[in-house]
Amino acid sequence: MEKMLNDIFSTLGSYLSNYILIAALLGGGIWFTVKLGFIQVKGFGEGMRRTFGGMFKKGDKAGADGMSSFQALATAIAAQVGTGNIAGAATALAIGGPGAIFWMWIAAFLGMATIYAEAIMAQKYKKVGDDGEVTGGPVYYIRAAFSGTFGKVLAGIFAVLITLALGFMGNAVQSNSIAAAFNTAFGLPQWIMGVILAVLALFVFLGGTGRIAKITELIVPIMAAFYIVGSLIVILFNAKEIPYALHAIVVGAFAPSSIVGGAAGATIKLALTKGVARGLFSNEAGMGSTPHAHAVAKVNHPVEQGFVAMIGVFIDTFVILNLTALVIITTHSIPTGKTGAELSQYAFSTLYGKGGDIFIAICMFFFAFSTILGWYFFGQANIKYLFGAKAVKIYSVVVAVCVFLGSLAEVELVWTMQDTFNSLMVIPNILALFALTGMIKKVHDDYFQNFKKKGK
């Protein structure tokens, strides 16, 4: 029975990710890039200023009912920068070859426009819940896009899908990645790591939005700096291979077979589909997940958080994921036949030896645990929508149990269902964004034509 269900979800998930989602998300990215006048270029400088200015700006503090702009971004990045940046990039390289990274760049560039649209709609339609906290996300702008029963049903479907995909199954998968990495690096039994993770996670969950914001604000810059430094050391040690790596990425996107040492059997289709699919699932642009964090940011105009949201995609793909790719390509690790986290571990071990396993285990802990916090927060917003604030404590405990159970063993069906539900939740989100194109353009224009000119 389990094998049959796994085959069904695997087939559905593959069809969605290889065809429907690539068309929907790339199409959405192109649509909003054109409609918003290449906002990812025009607003990049402002996004960087607001992002990194917010890290040190003492006045950028949130009240009890929300988050500061930087805290919202940190929570979004906590979810975006996860095991996909270590294992997902490696899988795309192993199957699609170096050219897959080029298509990841394209997906991320277009995705910056999509996530900008998501963030400003999340800000536009955010609510104050019955617990006094600001909440928001796709369920609210789906209802704004489609009135009546259709909107209510579509929002409900999205809320159920994201809670299952991220809050429950997704967090079990993240926990398993940490436990497996620590077992490999230190020989620690996976159940012990599961208990530690569940207790830590529950402690943060029960502290509410404020505690989640403070923890992500603290650990996201640390984990990013640790991974960046560790990766750069390997890349610089193999600096003479950087020109080869860049050549392999660009040429491999269009002529994979001409790249010596690339993935065996890689084709343009594989490079494109694996690159775009893994890129989109890594930065989450268009998935409808990160708007939950951007909705609660305290800003003067929705577009201000749109700028910040774009930088999240930039950091995820053009910084963190690129570093993983360069480490793997410059160390010529693709021909080993390894894939996923194992390929990344091998690449780092070429310089660090056994320390490569330890480095990846530490990164996995930071990346996956921060993702658990981010995904919990996204699910929490939808639990509030479906059942009210009183259900949040029950949800917290159930997620902590999923974190523990996920650490025990990799259940293929859980991984497959999570991927499939991830894909399905994109559909109502993208439909709503297309339907709200007029409102997105109106809010966007209001900022540039009115708000910004007044110097606010």
Side-chain angles (χ1 to χ4, degrees):
M1 180 65 175
E2 182 179 321
K3 186 180 184 305
M4 183 182 74
L5 284 173
N6 188 69
D7 290 343
I8 291 171
F9 280 107
S10 180
T11 302
L12 177 59
S14 295
Y15 182 80
L16 284 167
S17 63
N18 290 339
Y19 300 101
I20 304 296
L21 297 192
I22 286 180
L25 292 173
L26 285 185
I30 293 169
W31 175 258
F32 290 114
T33 294
V34 173
K35 281 285 182 181
L36 302 172
F38 284 80
I39 186 60
Q40 60 270 69
V41 176
K42 184 167 68 174
F44 184 77
E46 182 66 10
M48 293 291 281
R49 185 184 72 78
R50 288 187 173 278
T51 298
F52 293 103
M55 287 179 67
F56 309 107
K57 190 177 176 184
K58 296 296 183 183
D60 187 28
K61 299 296 180 184
D65 59 344
M67 297 182 184
S68 71
S69 183
F70 180 73
Q71 287 174 334
L73 176 66
T75 304
I77 291 177
Q80 290 169 309
V81 178
T83 55
N85 293 78
I86 294 175
T91 300
L93 282 166
I95 299 173
I101 302 304
F102 177 86
W103 297 113
M104 283 184 178
W105 294 347
I106 299 299
F109 177 77
L110 296 173
M112 288 171 75
T114 307
I115 210 163
Y116 171 87
E118 288 181 292
I120 64 177
M121 287 299 93
Q123 276 283 324
K124 170 73 177 174
Y125 295 106
K126 64 184 177 182
K127 309 283 184 185
V128 177
D130 51 13
D131 58 353
E133 286 192 346
V134 175
T135 189
V139 287
Y140 298 101
Y141 60 71
I142 289 171
R143 293 288 298 272
F146 305 109
S147 59
T149 303
F150 180 72
K152 189 179 292 186
V153 170
L154 202 62
I157 289 171
F158 176 88
V160 170
L161 286 172
I162 192 171
T163 303
L164 290 173
L166 303 187
F168 298 147
M169 296 176 192
N171 281 335
V173 167
Q174 295 295 325
S175 172
N176 183 266
S177 298
I178 299 174
F182 269 72
N183 180 258
T184 299
F186 305 107
L188 184 70
Q190 293 192 197
W191 72 268
I192 293 179
M193 197 66 215
V195 171
I196 294 170
L197 289 171
V199 171
L200 284 174
L202 190 60
F203 169 74
V204 180
F205 297 163
L206 295 177
T209 299
R211 187 173 294 169
I212 292 171
K214 287 176 182 176
I215 296 294
T216 56
E217 183 181 36
L218 174 66
I219 68 173
V220 164
I222 293 172
M223 78 178 190
F226 183 73
Y227 191 72
I228 289 168
V229 171
S231 300
L232 283 176
I233 291 171
V234 178
I235 294 165
L236 292 175
F237 187 81
N238 297 284
K240 65 181 186 298
E241 300 296 333
I242 294 175
Y244 158 75
L246 297 176
H247 174 267
I249 289 170
V250 176
V251 174
F254 305 98
S257 59
S258 68
I259 301 299
V260 178
T267 63
I268 294 176
K269 181 183 176 183
L270 276 175
L272 173 62
T273 56
K274 294 302 174 184
V276 171
R278 297 325 308 176
L280 291 169
F281 280 114
S282 174
N283 61 54
E284 301 189 24
M287 281 178 58
S289 51
T290 58
H292 298 92
H294 295 302
V296 302
K298 302 193 87 172
V299 291
N300 295 317
H301 193 283
V303 165
E304 293 177 345
Q305 194 59 24
F307 290 142
V308 173
M310 292 193 301
I311 302 305
V313 173
F314 178 82
I315 292 170
D316 174 87
T317 302
F318 290 105
V319 179
I320 305 295
L321 194 143
N322 258 1
L323 289 172
T324 303
L326 287 173
V327 166
I328 292 170
I329 299 170
T330 58
T331 56
H332 295 276
S333 298
I334 298 174
T336 61
K338 298 178 187 294
T339 189
E342 189 181 359
L343 175 56
S344 295
Q345 284 176 320
Y346 175 85
F348 280 100
S349 70
T350 60
L351 179 63
Y352 297 138
K354 178 63 177 175
D357 288 344
I358 296 172
F359 177 78
I360 290 296
I362 293 170
C363 291
M364 278 286 197
F365 175 82
F366 278 117
F367 284 16
F369 185 71
S370 65
T371 297
I372 287 170
L373 301 185
W375 283 359
Y376 164 84
F377 181 75
F378 301 161
Q380 174 189 275
N382 290 278
I383 287 292
K384 286 183 180 180
Y385 173 79
L386 291 169
F387 306 111
K390 291 180 180 178
V392 169
K393 284 191 177 179
I394 297 172
Y395 167 71
S396 302
V397 173
V398 174
V399 174
V401 170
C402 289
V403 167
F404 171 70
L405 293 176
S407 71
L408 301 179
E410 179 181 320
V411 180
E412 190 177 359
L413 178 60
V414 174
W415 287 62
T416 305
M417 288 177 69
Q418 191 237 342
D419 275 345
T420 304
F421 290 163
N422 250 354
S423 300
L424 287 171
M425 75 189 209
V426 172
I427 297 172
N429 183 59
I430 285 291
L431 285 175
L433 291 175
F434 275 124
L436 288 168
T437 297
M439 180 56 72
I440 292 167
K441 187 73 167 64
K442 182 179 178 182
V443 175
H444 170 83
D445 289 344
D446 176 68
Y447 176 82
F448 286 98
Q449 294 173 8
N450 301 315
F451 190 84
K452 189 178 181 182
K453 286 182 179 179
K454 292 177 182 177
K456 292 186 179 179

